[in-house]
Amino acid sequence: MQNQKNFLTELLVTGLGGAIGGTSRYLLGLVPIVGPMPVMTMLINWLGTLLLAMLGAYLASHRSRLERWQSFLGTGVLGGFTTFSTMIWQVHQQLFISTANALVYMILTLGGGLIMLKLGNHFGNKIGEAHV
């Protein structure tokens, strides 16, 4: 019975986070962007990667106290906020404009994501060290 209660709580926490993250991404997608490049999706994925890396680095040293936050923020909010499938779809759409546009978009998205991962990991570790 306790396992079912924990499962349902985890499911609700993750679902609530996903609703918040998905709604946030939708609202940011309404911001008008000039030019053919889907810049907002790239920015959303960079920000989500930065925050997810920070969360992961922070939770590595504080896991026992914050397990529900991993489900809510990591899987829910940031999982709902970022969008790999949209990025792939937009690469496909960029191919109709030009192959160069598609390659630039993909390289910027992945390269920027890797930089955000490194920065997020660094900042998450610093925050974790300050709160030990």
Side-chain angles (χ1 to χ4, degrees), residues 6-22 24 51-52 55 59 63 66-82:
N6 287 341
F7 172 77
L8 288 176
T9 302
E10 199 82 14
L11 185 66
L12 288 172
V13 164
T14 304
L16 177 63
I20 292 169
S24 299
L51 295 174
L52 190 59
L55 179 66
L59 289 179
R63 181 161 300 282
L66 302 169
E67 280 190 20
R68 295 239 193 269
W69 286 102
Q70 169 64 37
S71 298
F72 176 68
L73 291 174
T75 307
V77 174
L78 295 173
F81 184 64
T82 58

Side-chain angles (χ1 to χ4, degrees), residues 32-124:
I33 300 292
V34 177
M37 192 76 69
V39 175
M40 189 53 73
T41 302
M42 189 166 47
L43 295 175
I44 286 169
N45 284 333
W46 285 355
L47 178 62
T49 301
L50 174 76
L51 295 174
L52 190 59
M54 287 176 65
L55 179 66
Y58 182 80
L59 289 179
S61 59
H62 298 81
R63 181 161 300 282
S64 63
R65 290 183 285 168
L66 302 169
E67 280 190 20
R68 295 239 193 269
W69 286 102
Q70 169 64 37
S71 298
F72 176 68
L73 291 174
T75 307
V77 174
L78 295 173
F81 184 64
T82 58
T83 175
F84 181 77
S85 58
T86 299
M87 188 271 290
I88 294 298
W89 172 254
Q90 290 171 337
V91 167
H92 178 73
Q93 294 299 311
Q94 291 293 308
L95 284 170
F96 292 114
I97 298 170
S98 82
T99 303
N101 268 24
L103 285 173
V104 166
Y105 177 60
M106 202 165 57
I107 289 168
L108 285 175
T109 298
L110 296 177
L114 289 172
I115 291 169
M116 292 297 122
L117 177 75
K118 285 288 199 187
L119 288 173
N121 200 22
H122 174 76
F123 291 128

